[in-house]
Amino acid sequence: MTNSFSTPDLYDEYIDSVQVLSPILKNFGGREKFCGEIVTVKCFEDNSVVKAQVAEPGLNRVLVVDGGGSLRCALLGDLLAQKAVDSGWSGILIYGCIRDVDEIRKMPIGVQAIASIPKKSVRKNRGDLNIDVDFGGVLFKPGAFLYADNNGVLVSPNNLLSGS
């Protein structure tokens, strides 16, 4: 999917069919503009499912992680971010924290999260894959499409760039 878009332009054109995420996340990745079909993970202070998912073929999709907004530990670090790059993910959106921000900023992947923290998460193999998740005023459904840039994040049930 092309990255020649701006979220304000998409919003103006598709105002009745897009959801807008509240401005709660910051850009941390080397790619500040990213988009793709959504794959969801719901987990709390356990990144086991995130680790497993970034090893799967990304196919230019976006991994949306509902970490419950926890600020106590990171759900993504440089090793998992590099695995996501190698696997072909377009971006990762985390309602929670990341770590290794200096390394992740150099990687060709979009990463947005609430904040950074040095503490890593525990791994107890807890979490859900591809269920509806809801945060920041948006319902993220697996198979919907996400568009992110420095202006914010939009979600649409349809691919808004399919003609591009």
Side-chain angles (χ1 to χ4, degrees):
M1 201 180 300
T2 180
N3 281 347
S4 60
F5 67 88
S6 107
T7 56
D9 290 345
L10 288 175
Y11 176 80
D12 291 348
E13 187 171 350
Y14 299 100
I15 191 169
D16 294 328
S17 63
V18 295
Q19 300 177 78
V20 179
L21 183 68
S22 297
I24 55 175
L25 305 180
K26 297 180 222 169
N27 270 320
F28 289 101
R31 183 183 295 160
E32 292 181 336
K33 182 183 289 195
F34 59 97
C35 60
E37 186 177 346
I38 294 172
V39 173
T40 64
V41 170
K42 184 173 181 80
C43 59
F44 188 75
E45 298 180 0
D46 180 343
N47 71 349
S48 302
V49 179
V50 174
K51 180 181 180 188
Q53 200 56 40
V54 297
E56 296 294 320
L59 308 171
N60 290 313
R61 295 175 295 174
V62 176
L63 187 63
V64 175
V65 180
D66 180 354
S70 173
L71 301 177
R72 294 193 291 236
C73 65
L75 296 175
L76 181 78
D78 61 340
L79 298 178
L80 295 187
Q82 185 61 56
K83 185 156 298 274
V85 168
D86 296 343
S87 297
W89 289 87
S90 173
I92 303 172
L93 194 83
I94 299 182
Y95 185 49
C97 291
I98 69 166
R99 64 190 217 153
D100 302 314
V101 296
D102 294 334
E103 292 80 8
I104 290 173
R105 195 167 310 282
K106 298 172 192 169
M107 297 179 188
I109 189 168
V111 175
Q112 289 195 13
I114 296 174
S116 62
I117 189 170
K119 183 180 177 186
K120 66 181 179 179
S121 79
V122 297
R123 289 206 183 118
K124 296 182 180 177
N125 294 315
R126 291 191 207 140
D128 296 301
L129 178 65
N130 277 330
I131 64 168
D132 292 356
V133 297
D134 186 353
F135 60 87
V138 171
L139 178 62
F140 297 89
K141 290 181 166 286
F145 291 83
L146 182 144
Y147 305 86
D149 63 14
N150 285 322
N151 297 292
V153 175
L154 299 179
V155 173
S156 170
N158 304 308
N159 181 350
L160 304 178
L161 304 177
S162 57
S164 302

